[in-house]
Amino acid sequence: MLVGLFVAGLTALVPGAAHAAEDAGERIFGTLQTSVSGPIEGISVEVAEMSGAEVDTVETDEQGRWSVDLPGPGQYTVTVDAGDLPEGVTLNGEPSRTVTVDEGRQQGVIIGLNDGSRNSGGGSIRWVELLVSGLRFGLLIAMAAIGLSLIFGTTGLVNFAHGELVTIGAIAAWFINVGAGVPLIPAAILAMVVGAGIGALNEVALWRPLRRRGTGLVAALVISIGLSLLLRYLYQVFYGGRSNAFADYRGQRSVDYGAFSMTNKDLTSMVVALVVLVLVALMLQRTTMGKAMRAVSDNRDLAASSGIDVNRVILVVWMVGGALAALGGVLLGLSDEVQWDMGFRLLLLMFAGVTLGGLGTAYGALIGSIVVGVFVQMSTLVIPNDMKYVGGLLLLIVILIVRPQGILGSRARIG
């Protein structure tokens, strides 16, 4: 029932999406931009087969984007004309890249550019830059992790499908913004409504009936893994495997703030995330529903005996968690583009933040997520950028050894 309603709703939201898989072919695409120059237009990109036969030569558009349709799967060589690059911008490495494209795959190509800003100003500037970037990343993780923590606190469910709520928020906002032409801010609000609705649908159609049947937490965990896999690949079918940017706020240049530089959209993302998290904290502390959430999280049976409607509180928790995850997906897609598996890639870091802060506590999820975000970004000072997520999981292991209950968790006697 849940899957049927989800597919029907997504099909209504995206007309003709059901035929996306049939129409999709092999394609190579990419974006040329730097933090200083922004998107670079008019750069020639040549795609050729390994035999040397040219497939096509295109130029980047005003957003720095290019794409080439391929005759079929196989290996291709992508060559950028370095002579077209603006003054002060150079290629990192060779001008050619060899890419393997599988059948039906739309493969992105990363072409590194250097604008002279990297490592400029000494080591102190570098670590300040990473610290600010880590704070921004940690706030985005916290947006989604708080809902995950509240769901665990009120139901005991370790929800592996929570990352898909992040993805549906970004995808819904992208279709509303790009497909329907709605500005990104109202599109993000509508995406939060979609996320809250999907969260409520999860609770009413799936998890509440399972609780009534007495389904164990281990079985529920396995069900959430299956639901995550199902939704993730439904996203790929309906949305496709390509990364897409929102129509608004693309190609911004970094603004120099002295010790660090940041685009206006990244700064706005930090401010929005911080304001929303403060509002969530005020809701938990000052409102009747917030106090009921904390009561159910502390002791569900005692809360029920005190007259609290536990099912109603859990439904609100799912809606709040879904809305926060959707907004987190929109903010993440604003900086990293929208992808069909973006929530899954964020999931382990959400779990790391929740466990580090203390299972079931919203404030613990906030603190733990910020620590994880900062540690992940700062770890690139000593390890390659591609391995930075390993640093966050290593931090989780160390903290669990030293303080298993997490930063704000309380010691519990087992057995």
Side-chain angles (χ1 to χ4, degrees):
M1 177 180 175
L2 175 64
V3 174
L5 288 173
F6 174 79
V7 172
L10 192 56
T11 304
L13 180 64
V14 191
H19 302 289
E22 299 176 3
D23 298 335
E26 294 79 18
R27 177 181 296 177
I28 291 180
F29 65 93
T31 303
L32 294 181
Q33 64 179 5
T34 71
S35 60
V36 173
S37 66
I40 305 176
E41 183 180 2
I43 307 300
S44 295
V45 180
E46 179 188 274
V47 178
E49 298 179 356
M50 294 302 295
S51 63
E54 180 180 340
V55 176
D56 197 3
T57 298
V58 297
E59 290 188 353
T60 56
D61 61 16
E62 60 182 6
Q63 300 298 332
R65 305 179 72 179
W66 62 270
S67 66
V68 173
D69 293 326
L70 303 175
Q75 283 192 324
Y76 295 88
T77 301
V78 179
T79 304
V80 176
D81 190 347
D84 291 343
L85 294 174
E87 184 178 356
V89 178
T90 58
L91 287 167
N92 285 336
E94 298 297 324
S96 297
R97 304 284 188 275
T98 299
V99 182
T100 301
V101 182
D102 297 328
E103 184 176 358
R105 178 76 175 176
Q106 299 185 11
Q107 181 68 48
V109 181
I110 298 176
I111 300 173
L113 299 177
N114 183 17
D115 55 16
S117 63
R118 177 172 293 184
N119 295 326
S120 62
S124 61
I125 299 299
R126 175 66 173 161
W127 73 260
V128 171
E129 190 95 23
L130 291 174
L131 176 62
V132 175
S133 177
L135 289 173
R136 181 190 65 83
F137 190 44
L139 288 171
L140 297 186
I141 296 174
M143 289 284 295
I146 285 181
L148 181 64
S149 182
L150 287 173
I151 291 170
F152 175 82
T154 53
T155 66
L157 172 67
V158 180
N159 183 24
F160 275 83
H162 195 76
E164 314 323 315
L165 293 175
V166 175
T167 306
I168 191 59
I171 291 178
W174 184 84
F175 278 119
I176 295 170
N177 175 236
V178 176
V182 178
L184 184 57
I185 293 177
I189 296 174
L190 292 175
M192 292 180 65
V193 174
V194 171
I198 296 294
L201 187 61
N202 269 271
E203 162 62 11
V204 174
L206 181 61
W207 300 115
R208 184 177 296 179
L210 288 177
R211 285 199 307 273
R212 288 174 177 170
R213 293 183 180 183
T215 302
L217 293 178
V218 174
L221 182 148
V222 175
I223 292 171
S224 74
I225 295 175
L227 180 62
S228 173
L229 289 169
L230 176 63
L231 293 177
R232 194 183 320 148
Y233 288 102
L234 278 176
Y235 296 159
Q236 187 182 30
V237 170
F238 283 86
Y239 174 73
R242 184 174 180 178
S243 300
N244 292 293
F246 293 116
D248 301 339
Y249 312 114
R250 289 195 294 185
Q252 292 186 346
R253 297 187 180 186
S254 296
V255 179
D256 188 5
Y257 292 98
F260 65 94
S261 60
M262 178 179 289
T263 61
N264 288 332
K265 64 181 180 181
D266 286 342
L267 180 60
T268 302
S269 295
M270 289 185 66
V271 173
V272 170
L274 190 59
V275 169
V276 171
L277 291 173
V278 169
L279 292 177
V280 171
L282 291 175
M283 183 269 292
L284 290 174
Q285 291 291 339
R286 302 293 179 87
T287 67
T288 302
M289 179 55 67
K291 294 176 182 178
M293 288 180 185
R294 291 189 289 124
V296 173
S297 180
D298 288 340
N299 192 317
R300 185 165 58 180
D301 293 334
L302 181 60
S305 65
S306 302
I308 296 175
D309 188 343
V310 174
N311 282 330
R312 178 170 173 266
V313 170
I314 293 176
L315 177 62
V316 174
V317 165
W318 271 99
M319 295 178 67
V320 171
L324 290 176
L327 180 58
V330 174
L331 297 180
L332 184 62
L334 188 62
S335 58
D336 297 346
E337 296 194 345
V338 180
Q339 299 172 329
W340 66 278
D341 61 345
M342 58 190 296
F344 173 71
R345 290 187 282 108
L346 199 66
L347 184 64
L348 288 180
L349 295 180
M350 284 192 284
F351 277 122
V354 168
T355 307
L356 176 60
L359 289 172
T361 63
Y363 299 120
L366 171 60
I367 295 175
S369 297
I370 292 177
V371 171
V372 168
V374 170
F375 187 86
V376 164
Q377 295 299 101
M378 296 287 288
S379 65
T380 58
L381 289 170
V382 294
I383 64 175
N385 189 68
D386 293 341
M387 297 179 60
K388 63 182 181 181
Y389 288 175
V390 176
L393 299 181
L394 178 62
L395 175 65
L396 172 64
I397 294 172
V398 172
I399 291 296
L400 288 178
I401 293 175
V402 176
R403 185 178 172 84
Q405 69 270 30
I407 297 174
L408 295 185
S410 58
R411 292 182 177 271
R413 188 179 184 89
I414 307 216

